[in-house]
């Protein structure tokens, strides 16, 4: 039976200061989020799958240099890019993920190929890149990924000797999408460049099924953004699903337990986007802000950056 459908996206969470945001820049961020929502929504509206919708939304965000994923990925300690991505569908809990990949234009597409065309769930580094060639996944050269602002962020982080989320304001950066389609299927996807000045080989929560990304038709679909190490240790996305499945909590109540209690207790800054099987959407964060938005078939929608 046909039912309502919806999509939500995020472009990272953290200390996003109004004082360092110009109107023009804010509009660019909002346009990026809007374009991603529209790309996913167009697929859902035609009866397409939530899997294809989250992929399409994440591709738009990966292609936008403002967000820390794909083209806009931050630099690691040795001045390179290593990207992580995951995608999961709730109807059969199929999942695909890639970690520490270089030169892949859209890591989400590679994660989907791992899910659909390999016998594995997660592939990393050179092996994942070799697999990408067999699936005709698009590569891009270093110039495509070079961004002067990001390079400057690495120089500052190197001087300070710290590992930073995206840039000096400690804004996290990662992109993600969750969706419910007309057939009642949920899906989630997350893609990131990780953290500026991260150690070569470091992998965050985004590609780890159950930590940064999870989807289950019986409960919810979740995509996280924040300090990855803390999100891994809290197994955030799966924990929310479990609180709903085993304790009967609502999407909002379950998400609040993680974002406003468990993560806070261990210093885990960030947020997430969540959707349940009824199409309810919840976008909580415990940081200053989170680039976020949603669009539902009932006509409602919003795009926001700061707290209310
Ligand atoms: N969670 C990502 C990571 O730790 C970063 C982020 O969301 O900003 O790799």
């Amino acid at each position: 039976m046909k039912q309502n459908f919806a999509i939500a996206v995020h472009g990272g969470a953290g200390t996003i200061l109004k004082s360092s945001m110009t109107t023009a820049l804010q509009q660019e961020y909002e346009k990026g989020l809007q374009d991603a929502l529209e790309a996913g929504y167009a697929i859902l509206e035609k009866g397409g799958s939530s899997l294809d919708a989250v992929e399409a939304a994440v591709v738009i965000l990966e292609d936008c240099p403002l967000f820390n994923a794909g083209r806009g990925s931050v630099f690691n300690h040795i001045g390179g890019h290593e990207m992580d991505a995951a995608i999961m569908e709730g109807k059969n809990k199929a999942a695909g993920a890639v970690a520490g990949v270089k030169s892949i234009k859209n890591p989400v597409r590679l994660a989907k190929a791992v899910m659909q065309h390999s016998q594995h769930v997660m592939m990393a580094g050179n092996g994942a890149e070799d697999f990408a060639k067999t699936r005709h996944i698009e590569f891009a050269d270093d110039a495509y990924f070079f961004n002067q602002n990001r390079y400057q962020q690495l120089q500052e982080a190197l001087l300070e000797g710290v590992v930073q989320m995206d840039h000096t304001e400690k804004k996290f950066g990662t992109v993600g999408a969750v969706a419910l389609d007309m057939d009642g299927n949920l899906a989630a996807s997350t893609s990131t460049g990780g953290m500026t000045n991260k150690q070569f080989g470091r992998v965050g929560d985004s590609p780890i099924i159950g930590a940064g990304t999870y989807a289950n038709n019986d409960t919810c679909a979740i995509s996280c953004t924040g300090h990855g190490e803390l999100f891994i240790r809290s197994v955030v996305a799966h924990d929310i699903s479990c609180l709903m499945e085993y304790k009967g909590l609502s999407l909002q109540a379950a998400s609040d337990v993680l974002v406003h209690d468990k993560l806070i207790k261990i210093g885990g800054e960030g947020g997430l986007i969540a959707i349940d099987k009824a199409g309810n959407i919840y976008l909580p964060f415990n940081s200053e802000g989170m680039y976020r938005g949603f669009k539902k078939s009932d006509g409602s929608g919003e795009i926001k950056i700061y707290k209310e």
Side-chain angles (χ1 to χ4, degrees):
M1 196 182 69
K2 300 278 178 193
Q3 61 159 35
N4 59 332
F5 56 93
I7 182 163
V9 297
H10 73 78
T15 311
I16 305 168
L17 298 175
K18 267 191 188 154
S19 54
S20 53
M21 178 76 83
T22 63
T23 310
L25 186 58
Q26 178 161 335
Q27 282 168 355
E28 280 183 55
Y29 275 109
E30 287 167 352
K31 183 176 183 313
L33 295 169
Q34 185 73 46
D35 289 350
L37 283 174
E38 295 302 339
Y41 193 88
I43 289 171
L44 297 172
E45 203 174 23
K46 287 189 207 112
S49 70
S50 52
L51 184 75
D52 290 344
V54 295
E55 179 194 21
V58 168
V59 163
I60 298 276
L61 295 166
E62 286 177 338
D63 289 347
C64 176
L66 290 176
F67 299 104
N68 173 19
R71 183 170 197 176
S73 291
V74 296
F75 286 94
N76 64 11
H77 183 69
I78 58 169
H81 296 101
E82 289 170 286
M83 299 171 285
D84 302 333
I87 195 162
M88 181 164 187
E89 57 183 345
K91 70 174 174 203
N92 51 9
K93 301 206 188 83
V98 291
V101 293
K102 297 187 250 321
S103 312
I104 302 292
K105 182 169 177 282
N106 293 109
V108 65
R109 290 206 196 284
L110 183 53
K112 192 180 180 201
V114 169
M115 176 181 121
Q116 293 183 326
H117 302 289
S118 83
Q119 296 175 33
H120 309 299
V121 167
M122 183 183 248
M123 296 182 71
N126 294 345
E129 288 149 22
D130 284 352
F131 174 71
K133 287 176 195 148
T134 71
R135 297 304 315 169
H136 307 293
I137 297 284
E138 197 175 344
F139 281 65
D141 58 19
D142 287 350
Y144 174 80
F145 293 99
F146 185 83
N147 176 312
Q148 189 59 44
N149 284 341
R150 297 280 189 229
Y151 190 70
Q152 192 56 35
Q153 288 161 15
L154 172 64
Q155 303 315 310
E156 286 162 15
L158 285 170
L159 271 179
E160 290 169 28
V162 293
V163 178
Q164 284 170 338
M165 313 300 149
D166 198 6
H167 67 46
T168 45
E169 288 169 6
K170 231 178 113 202
K171 175 171 75 61
F172 301 90
T174 279
V175 307
V178 294
L180 171 72
D181 64 30
M182 283 184 193
D183 296 319
N185 291 318
L186 290 166
S189 178
T190 313
S191 180
T192 188
M195 306 196 297
T196 301
N197 197 24
K198 67 183 178 181
Q199 190 169 329
F200 176 54
R202 178 265 187 188
V203 175
D205 61 312
S206 310
I208 298 183
I209 299 303
T213 308
Y214 191 68
N216 177 347
N217 268 11
D218 295 330
T219 54
C220 59
I222 308 277
S223 170
C224 300
T225 171
H227 194 154
E229 281 71 8
L230 287 309
F231 279 65
I232 294 172
R233 287 163 50 197
S234 302
V235 203
V236 172
H238 187 247
D239 214 30
I240 292 171
S241 174
C242 288
L243 286 168
M244 295 176 71
E245 187 169 0
Y246 304 142
K247 283 191 99 181
L249 265 59
S250 68
L251 182 77
Q252 179 163 348
S255 301
D256 281 342
V257 170
L258 270 295
V259 175
H260 296 301
D261 183 17
K262 288 191 168 190
L263 277 168
I264 299 268
K265 281 180 183 146
I266 59 168
E269 190 184 345
L272 54 90
I273 54 173
I275 185 168
D276 69 14
K277 59 184 178 178
N280 296 306
I281 285 178
Y282 190 47
L283 315 173
F285 53 96
N286 61 32
S287 47
E288 284 291 312
M290 180 168 82
Y291 297 103
R292 64 199 187 276
F294 74 85
K295 184 166 178 174
K296 291 168 99 161
S297 55
D298 65 7
S300 60
E302 66 179 29
I303 289 182
K304 286 191 173 161
I305 299 176
Y306 307 103
K307 283 191 180 141
E308 293 299 283

